[in-house]
């Protein structure tokens, strides 16, 4: 009797496993344009961050004002990721105080992302989302910037903030001085490509194409994305 019960249980597990495998169908790129936007790195312009909303009422339009917005302090704009700038401070070997901008890319609460690979060729060739990719998607903890701010200088303590940003999925990995570009390679060949699951549950691919583009856009950062599925 026990053998019969074990046999029936094994069969049920097998069928359950098969059903689970059949539930997921690879997600193929839909009819969506590639979007590219230059985002300000000047913290006086980009004070509260630029919110990027991948899926909106006009996401099939080549360009739309609904794709991104420079936000205000109490803005209700709903975004998937945020391009955010703060100034950090540090002391050099002589004890002199220095500050520099710290551009970073943060996921909105509830948004998931995963680094698929690197380079614009991969971005262009990524047309299918597999189950393995979906299983790698993850959220990130929200950064409490206020806890890193020095009220005297008005800047953020660099070493501690950098350590926190290193735990983000994108964070500041795209920045000059942090991103390593091997000899013989270009920046866009090594910038990371991310799969993002939006707040709506749809999917988009995203990358920074150029942290510091050529003039006249050298004070901006060029980002690139394409919705795969709503």
């Amino acid at each position: 009797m026990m053998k019969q019960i074990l046999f029936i249980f094994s069969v049920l597990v097998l069928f359950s496993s098969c059903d689970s495998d059949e539930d997921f169908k690879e997600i193929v790129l839909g009819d969506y344009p590639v979007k590219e936007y230059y985002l300000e790195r000047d913290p006086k312009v980009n004070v509260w961050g630029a919110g990027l909303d991948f899926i909106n009422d006009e996401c099939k339009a080549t360009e739309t004002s609904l794709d991104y917005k420079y936000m205000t302090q109490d803005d209700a704009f709903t975004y998937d990721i945020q391009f955010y700038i703060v100034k950090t401070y540090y002391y050099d070997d002589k004890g002199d105080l220095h500050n520099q901008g710290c551009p970073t890319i943060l996921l909105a609460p509830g948004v998931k992302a995963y680094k698929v690979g690197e380079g614009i060729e991969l971005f262009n060739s990524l047309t299918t989302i597999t189950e393995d990719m979906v299983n790698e998607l993850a959220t990130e903890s929200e950064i409490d910037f206020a806890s890193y701010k020095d009220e005297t200088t008005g800047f953020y303590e660099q070493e501690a903030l950098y350590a926190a940003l290193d735990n983000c999925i994108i964070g500041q990995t795209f920045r000059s001085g942090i991103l390593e570009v091997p000899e013989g390679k270009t920046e866009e060949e090594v910038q990371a490509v991310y799969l993002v699951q939006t707040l709506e549950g749809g999917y988009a691919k995203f990358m920074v194409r150029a942290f510091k583009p050529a003039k006249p856009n050298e004070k901006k950062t060029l980002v690139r994305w394409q919705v795969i599925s709503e």
Side-chain angles (χ1 to χ4, degrees), residues 29 32-39 50-56 58-69 77 80-81 123-124 193-194 196 198 203-209 222-228:
L29 177 68
Y32 299 92
V34 174
K35 307 285 185 79
E36 288 194 343
Y37 291 105
Y38 290 95
L39 303 177
L52 281 59
D53 184 25
F54 298 139
I55 295 176
N56 53 63
E58 299 177 10
C59 63
K60 287 193 175 183
T62 302
E63 289 188 17
T64 168
S65 60
L66 299 181
D67 283 340
Y68 77 96
K69 181 182 179 184
F77 181 71
D80 295 303
I81 65 175
F123 179 97
N124 293 336
V193 177
Y194 298 91
V196 179
T198 70
Y203 297 93
K205 51 184 175 178
F206 171 85
M207 72 178 294
V208 171
R209 184 165 185 176
L222 179 60
V223 298
R224 178 183 177 94
W225 78 78
Q226 185 177 24
V227 173
I228 296 176

Side-chain angles (χ1 to χ4, degrees), residues 4 7 38-39 48 65 74 85 89 102 128 139 145 150 162 198 207:
Q4 290 176 324
F7 174 76
Y38 290 95
L39 303 177
W48 299 105
S65 60
D74 299 314
I85 317 291
Y89 77 88
C102 176
T128 304
T139 58
F145 282 90
D150 185 308
Y162 278 17
T198 70
M207 72 178 294

Side-chain angles (χ1 to χ4, degrees), residues 115-123 188-193 207:
K115 179 183 173 181
V116 181
E118 299 173 347
I120 194 165
E121 287 189 8
L122 173 62
F123 179 97
E188 70 174 19
E189 290 178 304
V190 297
Q191 282 283 7
V193 177
M207 72 178 294

Side-chain angles (χ1 to χ4, degrees), residues 123-144:
F123 179 97
N124 293 336
S125 65
L126 180 59
T127 57
T128 304
I129 302 173
T130 66
E131 185 174 17
D132 288 341
M133 293 179 185
V134 171
N135 289 338
E136 292 288 345
L137 291 166
T139 58
E140 65 187 19
S141 299
E142 191 171 357
I143 301 293
D144 180 14

Side-chain angles (χ1 to χ4, degrees), residues 26 78 87 90 150 170 187:
E26 291 186 338
T78 301
K87 279 199 171 184
Y90 64 95
D150 185 308
I170 303 178
E187 179 188 354

